[in-house]
Amino acid sequence: MNSCIQARKKCQADPTCNATYQYLKSCTSSISTSSPAEEPSVSEDCLEAVQHLQNSSLMSCTCHRRMKNQTACLNIYWTVHPARSLDDYELNVSPYEDTVTRKPWKMNARKLKQLKPEWDLCLKFAMLCTLNGKCGRLRKAYGEACSRPRCQRHTCRRQLRTFFQKASEPHAQGLLLCPCAPADLGCGQRRRNTIAPSCALPSGTPNCLELRRLCLSDVLCRSRLADFQTHCHPVDIPGTCATEKSRCLQAYMGLIGTAMTPNFISNVNTSVALSCTCRGSGNLQEECERLQESFSHNSCLMEAIAATMRVHSQLLSQASPVMERQKKSPALRPQPWVPSLFSCTLTLILLPSFW
């Protein structure tokens, strides 16, 4: 990986490169996106400065969403790509390293014994998260931050981002994309409430272009949106993505906890959407609808979600014989640390109206 942090250090050692980079910093700070109707632009001098860096490793550098200094890395990336900082729907080049970590989910028999056969799959995946020390701690942290009497949206979103950034991908995907039977409204409600929508999503229903303006003004959200538009872009064949479906899902989950947080729209299906409207968009109505439909009518994203839910359903279906054999045996008693964590987590699961 050619990290932008390392590429910047190399550039600093070269006086010409360093001077050009410093000039570009002033270019990006001058780009204004104060209203959705504005047409910001990059000056010719700034575009010329970018050309002077074509042979620098800065131009091909990327970042990793789990790196400690991610924000600093992303700031460097957008500094050397000022034209991509504009209020432009086609942010189609991701600043993130194009990799997907595939780690098989190893089902622990001891933990499977603690899953009740009558529980719906969303409750089972939530319990698997609880029984995993790291996942349980991270979930408890965002649950507490998002369920306070007075919603502190900034804190709630930060904890959500921390969860999806630090929890193992199998646990995070299992929790977010658990399959429910169409008639099981309780399961569907638990799935919708996974991200604590009453606090994490905007109050009221803002215009989608205003949400995007807020997103583009934040380096992390802008980067996650560019990643989503790169990897969840449908191609001509319905249900097919420009890249791998797993990469699309990773990009989709990366938006949770940002101004552009998507969520399931109901308890009865798996359709997702942004929490915004296109009413009042004026002559930008078509552009607004295009942004809205990149979530709600995205065949690539819909198929990626459906395929993952099928895998999750099969995963626990294969484990069900193990649980059935335990019906006649006394249940294993949880270790001393389980009850407090379990009760905390179940409060979040079983009382969705609290959010």
Side-chain angles (χ1 to χ4, degrees):
M1 172 185 172
N2 176 25
S3 165
C4 291
I5 299 291
Q6 295 303 318
R8 174 70 184 110
K9 288 179 180 178
K10 291 180 183 177
C11 180
Q12 284 178 315
D14 180 338
T16 303
C17 180
N18 190 46
T20 305
Y21 178 84
Q22 293 299 332
Y23 181 76
L24 282 173
K25 284 183 71 174
S26 66
C27 292
T28 53
S29 63
S30 67
I31 295 175
S32 170
T33 55
S34 58
S35 94
E38 286 187 357
E39 294 284 344
S41 62
V42 180
S43 71
E44 290 295 328
D45 289 344
C46 293
L47 292 176
E48 186 177 341
V50 172
Q51 293 302 314
H52 291 160
L53 290 178
Q54 287 304 310
N55 295 326
S56 167
S57 58
L58 281 168
M59 300 310 296
S60 60
C61 73
T62 56
C63 303
H64 195 282
R65 62 174 44 78
R66 289 181 182 245
M67 66 192 301
K68 290 182 180 179
N69 45 4
Q70 180 183 165
T71 301
C73 184
L74 292 171
N75 275 321
I76 295 169
Y77 176 88
W78 292 109
T79 295
V80 298
H81 297 292
R84 296 178 192 169
S85 300
L86 302 184
D87 193 2
D88 180 5
Y89 177 75
E90 299 298 337
L91 284 173
N92 58 1
V93 181
S94 173
Y96 288 108
E97 181 186 12
D98 190 13
T99 59
V100 175
T101 303
R102 291 186 178 85
K103 293 182 179 179
W105 194 339
K106 297 179 181 178
M107 302 296 279
N108 185 301
R110 181 180 65 83
K111 293 177 181 178
L112 285 174
K113 291 174 184 178
Q114 297 183 54
L115 304 184
K116 305 294 184 183
E118 66 272 15
W119 285 353
D120 62 57
L121 292 184
C122 281
L123 200 51
K124 288 177 180 177
F125 275 108
M127 184 56 176
L128 285 175
C129 175
T130 300
L131 294 173
N132 175 271
K134 186 175 184 180
C135 185
R137 286 191 302 274
L138 291 168
R139 185 167 181 258
K140 180 182 177 183
Y142 89 70
E144 290 176 348
C146 299
S147 59
R148 292 171 181 165
R150 292 187 64 182
C151 167
Q152 297 179 341
R153 189 163 288 108
H154 178 75
T155 303
C156 172
R157 287 177 173 175
R158 185 178 69 246
Q159 291 293 347
L160 271 172
R161 292 196 303 271
T162 299
F163 174 82
F164 284 102
Q165 184 170 306
K166 294 186 176 181
S168 72
E169 206 162 82
H171 279 106
Q173 284 194 4
L175 195 63
L176 182 69
L177 304 174
C178 50
C180 297
D184 193 343
L185 300 185
C187 179
Q189 187 177 31
R190 272 187 282 277
R191 182 170 60 199
R192 283 187 69 209
N193 285 332
T194 295
I195 66 163
S198 64
C199 188
L201 299 183
S203 56
T205 310
N207 184 277
C208 295
L209 295 179
E210 173 61 17
L211 271 192
R212 188 182 67 182
R213 184 193 68 79
L214 291 172
C215 180
L216 294 179
S217 68
D218 176 79
V219 67
L220 182 65
C221 187
R222 184 197 313 151
S223 303
R224 300 297 175 85
L225 180 60
D227 196 47
F228 174 79
Q229 291 179 176
T230 299
H231 296 288
C232 292
H233 182 69
V235 293
D236 294 337
I237 304 173
T240 305
C241 302
T243 59
E244 298 179 55
K245 291 185 178 69
S246 55
R247 190 64 183 80
C248 171
L249 275 186
Q250 191 179 67
Y252 173 82
M253 291 168 65
L255 280 169
I256 297 173
T258 71
M260 300 285 284
T261 298
N263 196 22
F264 296 101
I265 62 175
S266 78
N267 300 335
V268 298
N269 60 44
T270 58
S271 298
V272 299
L274 293 172
S275 183
C276 60
T277 180
C278 283
R279 289 193 298 271
S281 296
N283 59 359
L284 296 176
Q285 181 73 21
E286 186 177 335
E287 182 181 351
C288 183
E289 290 176 357
R290 199 162 70 244
L291 172 63
Q292 199 174 42
E293 291 175 2
S294 67
F295 290 85
S296 61
H297 292 77
N298 187 324
S299 59
C300 155
L301 176 60
M302 291 166 65
E303 177 53 32
I305 290 174
T308 302
M309 287 186 174
R310 287 194 293 270
V311 170
H312 289 164
S313 182
Q314 293 167 5
L315 186 67
L316 287 189
S317 295
Q318 292 168 0
S320 60
V322 176
M323 292 183 282
E324 288 295 325
R325 288 196 295 271
Q326 297 303 317
K327 277 185 175 181
K328 299 179 182 179
S329 303
L332 292 180
R333 290 187 179 277
Q335 296 299 316
W337 56 268
V338 171
S340 60
L341 180 57
F342 180 59
S343 62
C344 253
T345 307
L346 275 189
T347 302
L348 302 177
I349 301 169
L350 298 176
L351 298 178
S353 59
F354 190 60
W355 283 335

